[in-house]
């Protein structure tokens, strides 16, 4: 038995729950956010932030999510105190992603550059936290945004997502690599203009983010900040989120046309039913093109069929 205990932020634990969806136990123990049982390991994540890894490959599985330092030292919650006090008025690159919690559809990641001179214009266009906007409004705003600000959009189709996941990539690593690439692409696009900083809508601790991209040929590190709820901190992140959502909506429309019926967003019961319908009409092998196959929805859909 090789056991390990990590103390992780809730954002990382939520990401883990998505990653291990296929192995989730139906009834986690008291005080636990989730429990999963893999082929050679078991994982229990508690509300306190502690995550217990047990079994033959427990330590190896833990290494995907934390470092030795995190095993003994509590990881503090992300704090905005490290951000520049006037970041909301600065000219920056903001990044965000969409689609990570959706069974159907790709992951879309956007880096957007907003100069301080454009802040008032973006407010007039209606740019704000996308969670407070309907899809219809997002489409309308995005069509103006893509002609107003420079941005870099990366779309990871399901076939490539599933291949990376089967290679052992966590969703956190996939997102980190895409964010880094989007930033580098946009930085080249706006050169010689240089952003005052980069703000990433945080999905992993800073050390974990850079560990995820350590194997990349190019890594952007200049004045990079991380914060949860970053859409409410700077309009560049809100704009990135809106464009990413717009790209995701368009991709879902295209996939729905291919499927012959409207594919629902999210990962709930309606998604299970839609996946079962897809299996009946196009075969189980079609899931690789339409879905993130490691989600628990795959098993549920097969049972419905």
């Amino acid at each position: 038995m090789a056991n390990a205990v990590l103390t992780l932020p809730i954002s990382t634990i939520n990401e883990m729950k998505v990653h291990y969806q296929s192995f989730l136990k139906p009834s986690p123990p008291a005080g636990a956010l989730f429990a999963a049982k893999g082929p050679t390991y078991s994982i229990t994540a508690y509300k306190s932030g502690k995550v217990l890894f047990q079994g033959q490959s427990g330590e190896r599985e833990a290494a995907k999510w934390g470092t030795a330092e995190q095993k003994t030292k509590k990881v503090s919650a992300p704090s905005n105190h490290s951000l520049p006090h006037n970041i909301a008025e600065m000219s920056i690159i903001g990044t965000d992603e969409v689609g990570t919690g959706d069974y159907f559809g790709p992951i879309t990641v956007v880096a957007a550059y907003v100069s301080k001179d454009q802040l008032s214009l973006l407010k007039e266009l209606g740019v704000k936290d996308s969670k407070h906007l309907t899809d219809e409004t997002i489409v309308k705003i995005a069509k103006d945004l893509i002609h107003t600000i420079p941005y870099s959009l990366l779309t990871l189709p399901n076939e490539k997502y599933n291949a990376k996941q089967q290679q052992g990539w966590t969703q956190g690593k996939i997102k980190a690599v895409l964010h880094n690439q989007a930033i580098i692409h946009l930085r080249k696009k706006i050169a010689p203009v240089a952003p005052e900083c980069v703000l990433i809508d945080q999905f992993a601790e800073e050390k974990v983010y850079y560990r995820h991209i350590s194997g990349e040929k190019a890594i952007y590190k200049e004045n990079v900040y991380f914060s949860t709820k970053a859409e409410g901190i700077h309009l560049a992140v809100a704009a990135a989120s809106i464009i990413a959502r717009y790209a995701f909506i368009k991709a879902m429309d295209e996939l729905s046309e291919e499927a012959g019926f409207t594919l629902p967003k999210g990962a709930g019961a309606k998604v299970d039913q839609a996946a079962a319908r897809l299996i009946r009409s196009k075969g189980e092998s079609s899931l690789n093109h339409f879905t993130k196959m490691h989600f628990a929805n795959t098993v549920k859909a097969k049972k419905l069929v």
Side-chain angles (χ1 to χ4, degrees):
M1 295 283 285
N3 299 342
V5 178
L6 304 183
T7 302
L8 301 170
I10 296 300
S11 58
T12 301
I13 291 175
N14 289 336
E15 178 191 328
M16 289 177 66
K17 187 175 182 180
V18 172
H19 180 74
Y20 295 108
Q21 275 207 49
S22 300
F23 304 106
L24 291 181
K25 292 182 178 180
S27 301
L33 293 171
F34 77 85
K37 175 70 173 175
T40 56
Y41 59 84
S42 62
I43 302 170
T44 307
Y46 295 93
K47 295 176 182 178
S48 64
K50 290 190 180 298
V51 184
L52 174 63
F53 296 81
Q54 296 174 294
Q56 182 181 345
S57 61
E59 283 188 340
R60 185 164 62 250
E61 209 62 31
K64 295 179 181 179
W65 302 97
T67 62
E69 179 183 15
Q70 287 173 312
K71 295 174 187 177
T72 57
K73 180 181 177 183
K74 185 175 181 180
V75 178
S76 59
S79 171
N80 291 346
H81 296 306
S82 61
L83 300 178
H85 69 91
N86 62 332
I87 190 170
E89 286 78 45
M90 293 169 65
S91 299
I92 79 165
I93 289 176
T95 71
D96 204 357
E97 81 285 332
V98 172
T100 56
D102 295 275
Y103 180 60
F104 291 112
I107 290 179
T108 57
V109 174
V110 169
Y113 174 69
V114 177
S115 69
K116 60 184 70 176
D117 298 332
Q118 294 176 305
L119 292 173
S120 59
L121 173 59
L122 262 62
K123 289 178 182 177
E124 289 180 17
L125 292 177
V127 175
K128 59 181 178 181
D129 190 335
S130 64
K131 289 185 284 294
H132 302 304
L133 301 172
T134 64
D135 282 356
E136 183 180 0
T137 302
I138 283 173
V139 170
K140 181 180 178 182
I141 295 173
K143 286 181 177 179
D144 290 328
L145 265 183
I146 59 177
H147 299 296
T148 305
I149 61 172
Y151 67 95
S152 173
L153 164 67
L154 297 179
T155 300
L156 184 70
N158 291 305
E159 291 92 341
K160 290 186 178 180
Y161 176 91
N162 292 324
K164 290 298 183 184
Q165 197 277 329
Q166 288 168 11
Q167 291 170 18
W169 284 39
T170 65
Q171 198 176 83
K173 181 176 178 65
I174 291 172
K175 289 191 288 186
V177 168
L178 291 173
H179 276 255
N180 180 61
Q181 290 177 355
I183 293 166
I184 291 172
H185 291 170
L186 180 57
R187 185 68 181 82
K188 291 177 180 177
K189 184 183 287 188
I190 65 175
V193 173
E196 293 179 78
C197 70
V198 174
L199 179 59
I200 296 175
D201 192 39
Q202 187 167 17
F203 53 86
E205 290 296 311
E206 182 176 350
K207 288 183 180 179
V208 176
Y209 172 85
Y210 284 116
R211 179 167 56 80
H212 282 325
I213 61 175
S214 60
E216 294 294 289
K217 293 181 179 179
I219 298 175
Y220 194 91
K221 285 188 173 181
E222 187 178 350
N223 297 324
V224 178
Y225 296 92
F226 301 80
S227 178
T228 55
K229 301 181 180 179
E231 289 184 64
I233 295 173
H234 199 287
L235 290 179
V237 181
S241 180
I242 287 171
I243 296 173
R245 184 70 181 177
Y246 173 55
F248 179 77
I249 292 168
K250 289 206 303 180
M252 284 291 285
D253 288 343
E254 292 169 3
L255 286 174
S256 293
E257 189 172 345
E258 285 185 56
F261 61 95
T262 301
L263 298 174
K265 300 179 182 69
K270 290 183 179 179
V271 170
D272 300 336
Q273 295 166 6
R277 181 178 175 182
L278 193 62
I279 292 172
R280 294 189 191 101
S281 62
K282 295 187 177 295
E284 190 175 313
S285 62
S286 67
L287 295 180
N288 189 49
H289 173 64
F290 288 91
T291 75
K292 301 174 184 72
M293 292 186 65
H294 69 101
F295 277 37
N297 303 89
T298 298
V299 175
K300 294 176 182 177
K302 290 177 182 178
K303 288 181 179 179
L304 288 175
V305 173

